[in-house]
Amino acid sequence: MTYGSSLAAAPVIREPLHAPVAQLVRGGVIEGIHYGSVVVLAADGSLELRIGDIEAAFYPRSALKPVQAVAMLRAGLPLDGELLSLTAASHSGEERHLAGTRRILELAGLPEDRLRNVADLPFDPVVREDWVREGRLPSQLAQNCSGKHAAMLYTAHLNGWSLENYLDPAHPLQQAIAEIVEDLTGQAIAQVTVDGCGAPLFSVSLHGLARAAARITTAAPGTPEARVADAMREHAEMASGSGRDVAALMRAVPGLLAKDGFEGVQVAALPDGRAVAVKIADGADRARVPVAAAALARCGVDPTALAEFAGAPLLGGGAVVGHIRPTRALDPLTHPTHA
């Protein structure tokens, strides 16, 4: 399906007008406030809820990976299942992720040294501690975007494109990805920069990100969009890792596609097109999950399925003395009149 013929203008680059989205409550007193923006889309694509600035240009970071994966499938990438999920992953660096990345490179007939992502330690703290204890050094394979980079190399190889500069925004691969970013978000890209892994990063709006997720989950079976959604939902831990909140969220809510991104970004969409996107202004992960869960409840997901995502309790002297709660605009039921 093509949306490019009716592209909206690029979002404006400005200081985002974020609003309060979560409160840090300790001993009955609001100790801190997280600002951010939230969009909730109804199944027909209309706005169910908007908080903050959902139209300003922002960087989705890794929450854009499902869109990048769709673009690679459209360009001929022949992956499905676990390896396609890994293509859209911000993985934890577990052995399954390293083995999957090696397998993608093997299918392309390419060695590991063709990867151009930055070297890093595994993302998961436990895996990282074991890695360091064993005396292993940072590597491109362990870096959380290595599956995406291996798939980028494979796609470039299949199309006869240059491999050395596959991260150049002017490269045919990145141009193809940019086209699909605009296609699925329904708007022109505002700015292009470099993501943490070294790949081009495209700036759209939070509203556009939610639209893209909804278009992926509502696509016809067998399309590149549907293949990405199916792979990530069926192999959620390949797209993230053991114990990761995104995998747990997809397991808890049947049919949900979810992807996180650095700096407090979360997007999620249901098969009928209901979708949410969240940006926490200060990048705080502790606010990302409870705010996203509250947004999903606002778009009709059963709150009991989301109970485990309410946020980690705040401790004082080893005892629970507080919590993080979404603001009244997101979740009016959690707010007593005195606080």
Side-chain angles (χ1 to χ4, degrees), residues 115-138:
L115 291 168
R116 291 292 178 264
N117 58 315
V118 297
D120 202 355
L121 296 171
F123 178 77
D124 183 88
V126 175
V127 179
R128 183 167 61 246
E129 288 174 8
D130 290 343
W131 188 281
V132 172
R133 190 180 304 113
E134 294 166 4
R136 302 167 76 177
L137 298 175

Side-chain angles (χ1 to χ4, degrees), residues 35 117-118 122 157 180 241 258 287 301:
Y35 282 69
N117 58 315
V118 297
H157 173 72
I180 303 310
V301 174

Side-chain angles (χ1 to χ4, degrees), residues 1 12 46 81 98 130 140 188 190 199 263 271 280 335:
M1 187 176 294
V12 177
S46 62
L98 307 187
D130 290 343
Q140 291 164 304
E263 298 301 325
I280 305 300
H335 287 259

Side-chain angles (χ1 to χ4, degrees), residues 229-276:
D230 289 344
M232 292 181 69
R233 288 183 295 219
E234 292 169 14
H235 305 280
E237 292 188 347
M238 201 62 153
S240 53
S242 302
R244 294 273 292 279
D245 54 59
V246 176
L249 191 59
M250 286 194 276
R251 288 194 300 268
V253 182
L256 185 72
L257 173 69
K259 185 70 187 77
D260 56 344
F262 278 153
E263 298 301 325
V265 181
Q266 180 71 57
V267 66
L270 290 155
D272 63 1
R274 287 174 291 159
V276 307

